[in-house]
Amino acid sequence: MTPMQWTVHPARVRPVAAIWTVVAIAVVATLIAQLAGDWFWGAISALGLFISLTRFFLATQYRIDAEVAEVIYPLSTSRLRWEEVGCIRWHDRRALVARSPSHRAQMRGLVFDFTNLSVETRKQLREFAYAHTSPEVWQ
């Protein structure tokens, strides 16, 4: 299989949620500016809220090839080699790939979003992941 790459942009998929999120950030920033008595603190709070929500506002890229599964977030990159995978939870719209089935490992695992992919592509990805991992890791 050739490497597969796709991009998901949650704010574009859910424009109403994006608008309400921007409104909420503006309201909170205004309140903080009023409480602090200086616009600077409102601007800093708006920036901090935006940075905390970058995975929603900015695009995330996903890449799967014969060696690794990789998620390229707006501010970081996470990857996991197939031989290191210890847990896979596969659903219709997303999949969790982690080092082990422990709660801590799953919280640090890679979450793949299949929102933009066709049913056939999802099926190919599942077959590919199943072929590159042991059957015991599937939950």
Side-chain angles (χ1 to χ4, degrees), residues 4 49 92 113 137:
M4 290 195 64
L49 287 170
D92 290 337
D113 188 351
V137 303

Side-chain angles (χ1 to χ4, degrees), residues 55-122:
R55 291 186 185 180
F56 176 73
F57 284 116
L58 304 176
T60 300
Q61 297 177 0
Y62 301 93
R63 183 173 187 274
I64 292 179
D65 64 19
E67 295 180 19
V68 297
E70 183 175 47
V71 180
I72 304 166
Y73 298 112
L75 300 176
S76 67
T77 300
S78 298
R79 67 179 53 123
L80 190 58
R81 299 181 64 79
W82 288 112
E83 57 265 9
E84 297 173 340
V85 173
C87 174
I88 296 179
R89 291 186 179 193
W90 203 279
H91 303 286
D92 290 337
R93 295 276 180 199
R94 60 184 56 222
L96 169 71
V97 179
R99 290 187 192 275
S100 74
S102 72
H103 180 70
R104 184 175 187 174
Q106 288 183 21
M107 293 300 291
R108 294 181 177 188
L110 306 178
V111 178
F112 289 90
D113 188 351
F114 304 137
T115 303
N116 298 343
L117 301 179
S118 67
V119 174
E120 183 62 32
T121 305
R122 292 178 202 169

